[in-house]
Amino acid sequence: MERGELARAVTECLWREPDGLSAASVVDRLSQHDGRRLAVTTALTVLERLRHKGLVDRVRQGKSYLYTAVADRESLVVEAMTAALADSSDRTLALSRFVDAMTPQEQATLRAALGGQP
């Protein structure tokens, strides 16, 4: 599982549990979901990276923390799209191909979001 996929899977766990999860609980949920067993330290690393990005919050509960998703699914999609665009050597071409892959309705929604600009 790549780092981006793991961050997405961790965030999915947190969205399903709005009251929060410990890192150990995240590991358990991921194991139940896809059969993979992560180290708790790996889950903690991912959770802390997400927290530093402002996507996750934590509250101390006893000796550990409960983590909750701060951002919604759409915010995570924006982050992924921004990261993908940053990886492109030709941002204009990448954006053009992205728009070409959209349905006409999605293109109209994008135009409206840009204030009707062509």
Side-chain angles (χ1 to χ4, degrees), residues 4-44:
E5 291 175 28
L6 183 54
R8 191 168 301 117
V10 167
T11 305
E12 291 278 348
C13 287
L14 296 177
W15 283 328
R16 287 190 291 270
E17 298 288 339
D19 292 333
L21 292 171
S22 67
S25 295
V26 168
V27 168
D28 290 341
R29 299 298 194 292
L30 289 174
S31 177
Q32 291 169 7
H33 179 25
D34 65 12
R36 295 181 194 222
R37 188 75 183 163
L38 295 177
V40 173
T41 54
T42 302
L44 280 168

Coordinates of all heavy atoms in Angstrom, one line a residue, residues 4-44:
G4 N 0.1 7.5 -0.1 CA -1.1 8.2 -0.3 C -2.3 7.3 -0.1 O -3.3 7.7 0.4
E5 N -2.2 6.0 -0.5 CA -3.3 5.1 -0.3 C -3.5 4.8 1.1 O -4.7 4.7 1.6 CB -3.0 3.8 -1.1 CG -3.0 3.8 -2.6 CD -2.6 2.5 -3.2 OE1 -2.8 1.5 -2.6 OE2 -2.1 2.6 -4.3
L6 N -2.4 4.7 1.9 CA -2.5 4.4 3.3 C -3.2 5.6 4.0 O -4.1 5.5 4.9 CB -1.2 4.1 3.9 CG -1.1 3.8 5.4 CD1 -2.1 2.6 5.7 CD2 0.3 3.5 5.8
A7 N -2.8 6.8 3.6 CA -3.4 8.0 4.2 C -4.9 8.1 3.9 O -5.7 8.4 4.8 CB -2.7 9.3 3.7
R8 N -5.2 7.7 2.7 CA -6.7 7.7 2.4 C -7.4 6.7 3.2 O -8.5 6.9 3.6 CB -6.8 7.5 0.9 CG -8.2 7.7 0.3 CD -8.2 7.7 -1.2 NE -7.4 8.7 -1.7 CZ -6.3 8.5 -2.5 NH1 -5.9 7.3 -2.9 NH2 -5.5 9.5 -3.0
A9 N -6.8 5.5 3.3 CA -7.5 4.4 4.1 C -7.7 4.8 5.5 O -8.7 4.5 6.1 CB -6.7 3.1 3.9
V10 N -6.6 5.4 6.1 CA -6.7 5.9 7.5 C -7.8 6.9 7.6 O -8.6 6.9 8.6 CB -5.4 6.5 8.0 CG1 -5.5 7.2 9.3 CG2 -4.4 5.3 8.1
T11 N -7.9 7.9 6.7 CA -8.9 8.9 6.7 C -10.3 8.3 6.6 O -11.2 8.7 7.3 CB -8.6 10.0 5.7 OG1 -7.3 10.5 5.8 CG2 -9.6 11.1 5.8
E12 N -10.4 7.3 5.7 CA -11.7 6.6 5.6 C -12.2 6.0 6.9 O -13.3 6.1 7.3 CB -11.6 5.5 4.5 CG -11.5 6.0 3.1 CD -12.8 6.4 2.5 OE1 -13.8 6.0 3.0 OE2 -12.7 7.0 1.4
C13 N -11.2 5.4 7.6 CA -11.6 4.9 9.0 C -12.1 6.0 9.9 O -13.1 5.8 10.6 CB -10.3 4.2 9.6 SG -9.8 2.7 8.9
L14 N -11.4 7.1 9.9 CA -11.8 8.2 10.8 C -13.2 8.8 10.3 O -14.0 9.2 11.2 CB -10.8 9.3 10.8 CG -9.4 8.9 11.3 CD1 -8.4 10.0 11.2 CD2 -9.6 8.4 12.8
W15 N -13.5 8.8 9.1 CA -14.8 9.3 8.6 C -15.9 8.4 9.1 O -17.0 8.8 9.4 CB -14.9 9.4 7.1 CG -14.2 10.6 6.5 CD1 -14.0 11.8 7.1 CD2 -13.5 10.7 5.3 NE1 -13.3 12.7 6.3 CE2 -13.0 12.0 5.1 CE3 -13.3 9.8 4.2 CZ2 -12.3 12.4 4.0 CZ3 -12.6 10.2 3.1 CH2 -12.1 11.5 3.0
R16 N -15.6 7.1 9.2 CA -16.6 6.1 9.6 C -16.8 6.1 11.1 O -17.8 5.6 11.6 CB -16.3 4.7 9.2 CG -16.5 4.5 7.7 CD -16.3 3.0 7.3 NE -15.0 2.5 7.5 CZ -14.0 2.5 6.5 NH1 -14.3 3.0 5.3 NH2 -12.8 2.0 6.7
E17 N -15.9 6.7 11.9 CA -16.0 6.8 13.3 C -15.8 8.2 13.8 O -14.8 8.7 14.2 CB -14.8 5.9 13.9 CG -14.9 4.5 13.6 CD -16.1 3.8 14.3 OE1 -16.6 4.3 15.3 OE2 -16.5 2.7 13.8
P18 N -16.9 9.0 13.7 CA -16.8 10.5 14.0 C -16.4 10.8 15.4 O -15.9 11.9 15.7 CB -18.2 11.0 13.6 CG -19.1 9.8 13.5 CD -18.2 8.6 13.2
D19 N -16.6 9.8 16.3 CA -16.2 10.1 17.7 C -14.7 9.9 17.9 O -14.1 10.2 19.0 CB -16.9 9.1 18.7 CG -18.4 9.5 18.7 OD1 -18.8 10.7 18.5 OD2 -19.2 8.6 19.0
G20 N -14.0 9.4 16.9 CA -12.5 9.3 17.0 C -12.0 7.9 17.2 O -12.8 7.0 17.7
L21 N -10.8 7.6 16.8 CA -10.1 6.3 17.0 C -8.7 6.5 17.5 O -8.0 7.5 17.1 CB -10.1 5.6 15.6 CG -11.3 5.1 15.0 CD1 -11.1 4.6 13.6 CD2 -12.0 4.0 15.8
S22 N -8.2 5.6 18.3 CA -6.8 5.6 18.6 C -6.0 5.0 17.4 O -6.6 4.4 16.5 CB -6.6 4.7 19.9 OG -6.9 3.4 19.6
A23 N -4.7 5.1 17.5 CA -3.9 4.5 16.4 C -4.1 3.0 16.4 O -4.2 2.4 15.3 CB -2.4 4.9 16.6
A24 N -4.2 2.4 17.5 CA -4.4 0.9 17.6 C -5.7 0.6 17.0 O -5.8 -0.5 16.3 CB -4.3 0.5 19.0
S25 N -6.7 1.4 17.2 CA -8.1 1.1 16.6 C -8.0 1.2 15.1 O -8.7 0.5 14.4 CB -9.1 2.0 17.2 OG -9.3 1.7 18.6
V26 N -7.3 2.2 14.6 CA -7.1 2.4 13.2 C -6.5 1.1 12.6 O -6.9 0.6 11.6 CB -6.3 3.7 12.9 CG1 -5.9 3.7 11.4 CG2 -7.1 4.9 13.2
V27 N -5.4 0.6 13.2 CA -4.8 -0.6 12.8 C -5.8 -1.7 12.7 O -5.8 -2.5 11.7 CB -3.6 -0.9 13.7 CG1 -3.0 -2.3 13.4 CG2 -2.5 0.1 13.5
D28 N -6.6 -1.9 13.8 CA -7.6 -3.0 13.8 C -8.6 -2.8 12.7 O -8.9 -3.8 12.0 CB -8.3 -3.0 15.1 CG -7.4 -3.4 16.3 OD1 -6.4 -4.1 16.0 OD2 -7.8 -3.1 17.4
R29 N -9.1 -1.6 12.4 CA -10.1 -1.4 11.4 C -9.5 -1.7 10.0 O -10.1 -2.3 9.2 CB -10.6 0.1 11.4 CG -11.3 0.6 12.6 CD -12.5 -0.2 12.9 NE -13.4 0.4 13.9 CZ -13.2 0.5 15.2 NH1 -12.0 0.2 15.7 NH2 -14.1 1.1 16.0
L30 N -8.2 -1.2 9.8 CA -7.6 -1.5 8.5 C -7.4 -3.0 8.3 O -7.6 -3.5 7.2 CB -6.3 -0.8 8.4 CG -6.4 0.7 8.2 CD1 -5.0 1.4 8.3 CD2 -7.1 1.1 7.0
S31 N -7.0 -3.7 9.3 CA -6.8 -5.1 9.3 C -8.2 -5.8 8.9 O -8.2 -6.8 8.1 CB -6.3 -5.7 10.6 OG -6.2 -7.1 10.6
Q32 N -9.3 -5.4 9.5 CA -10.6 -6.0 9.2 C -11.0 -5.7 7.8 O -11.6 -6.5 7.1 CB -11.6 -5.4 10.2 CG -11.4 -5.9 11.6 CD -12.3 -5.1 12.6 OE1 -13.2 -4.3 12.2 NE2 -12.1 -5.3 13.9
H33 N -10.6 -4.5 7.3 CA -11.1 -4.0 6.0 C -10.4 -4.7 4.9 O -11.0 -5.2 3.9 CB -11.0 -2.5 5.9 CG -11.4 -1.9 4.6 ND1 -12.3 -2.5 3.7 CD2 -11.0 -0.8 4.0 CE1 -12.4 -1.8 2.7 NE2 -11.7 -0.7 2.8
D34 N -9.0 -4.7 4.9 CA -8.3 -5.3 3.8 C -7.3 -6.4 4.2 O -6.5 -6.9 3.3 CB -7.6 -4.2 3.0 CG -6.5 -3.5 3.8 OD1 -6.1 -4.0 4.9 OD2 -6.0 -2.5 3.4
G35 N -7.3 -6.8 5.4 CA -6.5 -7.9 5.9 C -5.0 -7.6 6.1 O -4.3 -8.5 6.5
R36 N -4.7 -6.4 5.9 CA -3.3 -6.0 6.1 C -3.1 -5.6 7.6 O -3.9 -5.0 8.2 CB -2.9 -4.8 5.3 CG -2.9 -5.2 3.8 CD -2.5 -4.0 3.0 NE -2.8 -4.2 1.6 CZ -2.0 -3.9 0.6 NH1 -0.9 -3.4 0.8 NH2 -2.4 -4.2 -0.6
R37 N -1.9 -6.0 8.1 CA -1.6 -5.7 9.5 C -0.5 -4.7 9.5 O 0.6 -5.0 9.1 CB -1.2 -7.0 10.2 CG -1.0 -6.8 11.7 CD -2.4 -6.7 12.4 NE -2.2 -6.4 13.8 CZ -3.1 -6.0 14.6 NH1 -4.3 -5.7 14.1 NH2 -2.8 -5.8 15.9
L38 N -0.8 -3.5 9.9 CA 0.2 -2.4 10.1 C 0.7 -2.4 11.5 O 0.0 -2.7 12.4 CB -0.4 -1.1 9.7 CG -0.9 -0.8 8.3 CD1 -1.5 0.6 8.3 CD2 0.2 -0.9 7.3
A39 N 1.9 -1.8 11.6 CA 2.4 -1.5 13.0 C 1.7 -0.3 13.5 O 1.4 0.6 12.7 CB 3.9 -1.3 12.9
V40 N 1.5 -0.2 14.7 CA 0.8 0.9 15.3 C 1.7 2.2 15.1 O 1.2 3.3 14.8 CB 0.6 0.7 16.9 CG1 0.1 2.0 17.5 CG2 -0.4 -0.4 17.1
T41 N 3.0 2.0 15.1 CA 3.9 3.2 14.8 C 3.7 3.7 13.4 O 3.8 4.9 13.2 CB 5.4 2.8 15.0 OG1 5.7 1.7 14.2 CG2 5.7 2.5 16.5
T42 N 3.4 2.8 12.5 CA 3.1 3.3 11.1 C 1.8 4.1 11.1 O 1.7 5.2 10.4 CB 3.0 2.1 10.1 OG1 4.2 1.4 10.2 CG2 2.7 2.5 8.7
A43 N 0.8 3.6 11.7 CA -0.5 4.3 11.8 C -0.3 5.7 12.5 O -0.8 6.7 12.1 CB -1.5 3.5 12.6
L44 N 0.5 5.7 13.6 CA 0.8 7.0 14.3 C 1.5 8.0 13.3 O 1.2 9.2 13.3 CB 1.7 6.7 15.5 CG 1.0 6.2 16.7 CD1 2.0 5.8 17.8 CD2 0.1 7.3 17.3

